[in-house]
Amino acid sequence: MNLNGTHVAMVTPLDKDNNVDEEKFRNLIDFLIEGNVDGLLAAGTTGESATLTHEEHQKVIDILIDQANGKVTTIAGAGSNSTIEAQSLVEYSENAGADAALVITPYYNKPQQYGMYKHFKLLNDNNDIPIIAYNVPSRTGVDLSVDTIVDLAKLDNIVAMKEANPDLNKLANLFSELRKNDVYDKFTVLSGNDSLTVPMIAQGAKGIISVIANVMPARFSEMVNFALDGNFEEARVISDELFDMMDVLFIEASPAPTKRALNLMDVPVGGLRLPIDEMCEENDKILQGILKNHNLI
């Protein structure tokens, strides 16, 4: 399985009754595949996984795998702050036929480094599906250290990580240690921050799990492909062009701006699950202005 390229952290479309909208979800999958992305992630943070029931979580994974039908890499969000629950979700993802499972570091518990290592090792030892570790300290309160990441990279089924810590000094150290330990070639690092994708690829990352690619899949994929081909000047030009969009999609709690943008673009995805609510009027005007500047509305 090749995890290089642009993978979309998909929003989860909801209907007027706030239930998962299967038709809208299938249409969104088609829209993104037509945008030449390399992979799709269902039930990640941007997919409001924290407010999906277990049954809904499984449903969106099943819909993704069925609708993608082998056209792109399918990644199932399978994380939890409970190791037992994470094991259940990873096992379901494997049985459902996902290509990989994305597992966030346990949130709120604030476990020790060796506790997080044991969490991932248990998932590694009890499943055969490739696992992507997801490090996002701004949301979880914990940060996988370089040493812990290298130890995870030595496990057979921990094949990649989504790194959303914006510390590029840490990232440079990580790539150095991965190479020293002869695991760089077997372990894929993916950016977890859209705006840092180009510099992260320059350091050794192989792609991104992206939010902006929900809205501008083709143009963002073009940027990633330029960077992966070593054409950093063209990649930088596109990164500069898209920076305002990458920035505004986090002007309020994600995925509120992304869902609003898609709805304005006539790619209907419905509303949000509380406690995340609709955008305030002032920020909505800013978002609409940027969408107009990019000729999206």
Side-chain angles (χ1 to χ4, degrees), residues 128-174:
D128 292 324
I129 188 172
I131 294 170
I132 305 167
Y134 179 19
N135 188 47
V136 55
S138 63
R139 285 186 179 270
T140 63
V142 290
D143 183 20
L144 284 172
S145 70
V146 168
D147 288 343
T148 302
I149 296 168
V150 171
D151 286 340
L152 293 178
K154 294 174 182 178
L155 299 174
D156 291 340
N157 294 321
I158 311 296
V159 301
M161 76 170 298
K162 176 184 177 182
E163 177 58 275
N165 182 336
D167 183 353
L168 294 181
N169 187 65
K170 176 195 174 185
L171 193 72
N173 184 24
L174 172 61

Side-chain angles (χ1 to χ4, degrees), residues 33-102:
I33 291 174
E34 289 167 7
N36 296 317
V37 301
D38 299 289
L40 298 173
L41 163 67
T45 306
T46 308
E48 297 174 89
S49 57
T51 53
L52 295 179
T53 66
H54 281 226
E55 291 76 16
E56 289 172 328
H57 202 121
Q58 294 169 359
K59 179 178 180 178
V60 297
I61 291 170
D62 289 338
I63 295 170
L64 169 62
I65 293 165
D66 181 64
Q67 190 68 20
N69 194 28
K71 296 174 185 175
V72 294
T73 300
T74 53
I75 305 170
S80 173
N81 64 337
S82 162
T83 303
I84 294 171
E85 284 190 7
Q87 164 56 25
S88 175
L89 289 168
V90 172
E91 183 177 354
Y92 185 88
S93 302
E94 181 174 349
N95 292 335
D99 293 313
L102 181 80

Side-chain angles (χ1 to χ4, degrees), residues 19-285:
N19 298 314
V20 173
D21 191 313
E22 180 171 345
E23 181 180 358
K24 287 186 176 70
F25 194 36
R26 289 182 182 275
N27 290 338
L28 177 62
I29 291 166
D30 290 343
F31 168 74
L32 296 173
I33 291 174
E34 289 167 7
N36 296 317
V37 301
D38 299 289
L40 298 173
L41 163 67
T45 306
T46 308
E48 297 174 89
S49 57
T51 53
L52 295 179
T53 66
H54 281 226
E55 291 76 16
E56 289 172 328
H57 202 121
Q58 294 169 359
K59 179 178 180 178
V60 297
I61 291 170
D62 289 338
I63 295 170
L64 169 62
I65 293 165
D66 181 64
Q67 190 68 20
N69 194 28
K71 296 174 185 175
V72 294
T73 300
T74 53
I75 305 170
S80 173
N81 64 337
S82 162
T83 303
I84 294 171
E85 284 190 7
Q87 164 56 25
S88 175
L89 289 168
V90 172
E91 183 177 354
Y92 185 88
S93 302
E94 181 174 349
N95 292 335
D99 293 313
L102 181 80
V103 177
I104 195 169
T105 53
Y107 42 86
Y108 188 78
N109 317 52
K110 297 183 113 175
Q112 316 95 319
Q113 291 294 317
Y114 56 82
M116 288 190 285
Y117 175 79
K118 288 182 178 179
H119 173 84
F120 283 103
K121 188 174 187 305
L122 183 146
L123 301 177
N124 173 86
D125 293 347
N126 286 279
N127 303 279
D128 292 324
I129 188 172
I131 294 170
I132 305 167
Y134 179 19
N135 188 47
V136 55
S138 63
R139 285 186 179 270
T140 63
V142 290
D143 183 20
L144 284 172
S145 70
V146 168
D147 288 343
T148 302
I149 296 168
V150 171
D151 286 340
L152 293 178
K154 294 174 182 178
L155 299 174
D156 291 340
N157 294 321
I158 311 296
V159 301
M161 76 170 298
K162 176 184 177 182
E163 177 58 275
N165 182 336
D167 183 353
L168 294 181
N169 187 65
K170 176 195 174 185
L171 193 72
N173 184 24
L174 172 61
F175 284 123
S176 175
E177 291 301 317
L178 289 172
R179 292 185 177 100
K180 285 179 185 176
N181 285 271
D182 295 323
V183 287
Y184 173 77
D185 291 334
K186 74 168 285 286
F187 189 74
T188 301
V189 176
L190 299 169
S191 171
N193 296 291
D194 288 329
S195 61
L196 293 180
T197 302
V198 173
M200 285 184 68
I201 290 175
Q203 286 187 308
K206 298 300 182 184
I208 169 83
I209 296 180
S210 167
V211 174
I212 188 179
N214 280 281
V215 176
M216 302 184 73
R219 190 61 170 155
F220 192 75
S221 294
E222 185 179 15
M223 182 201 81
V224 172
N225 290 336
F226 273 131
L228 289 173
D229 288 341
N231 190 342
F232 288 103
E233 180 56 28
E234 292 290 346
R236 182 198 58 76
V237 169
I238 299 175
S239 184
D240 288 351
E241 170 197 322
L242 299 183
F243 182 79
D244 59 350
M245 182 65 73
M246 293 186 277
D247 196 44
V248 78
L249 293 181
F250 290 91
I251 196 171
E252 287 193 14
S254 180
T258 304
K259 279 194 157 181
R260 175 63 171 154
L262 286 165
N263 286 325
L264 288 167
M265 292 164 54
D266 292 325
V267 182
V269 293
L272 299 143
R273 285 253 174 103
L274 289 171
I276 295 178
D277 202 359
E278 303 299 329
M279 297 177 64
C280 72
E281 183 177 352
E282 179 182 358
N283 288 335
D284 189 70
K285 288 180 180 177

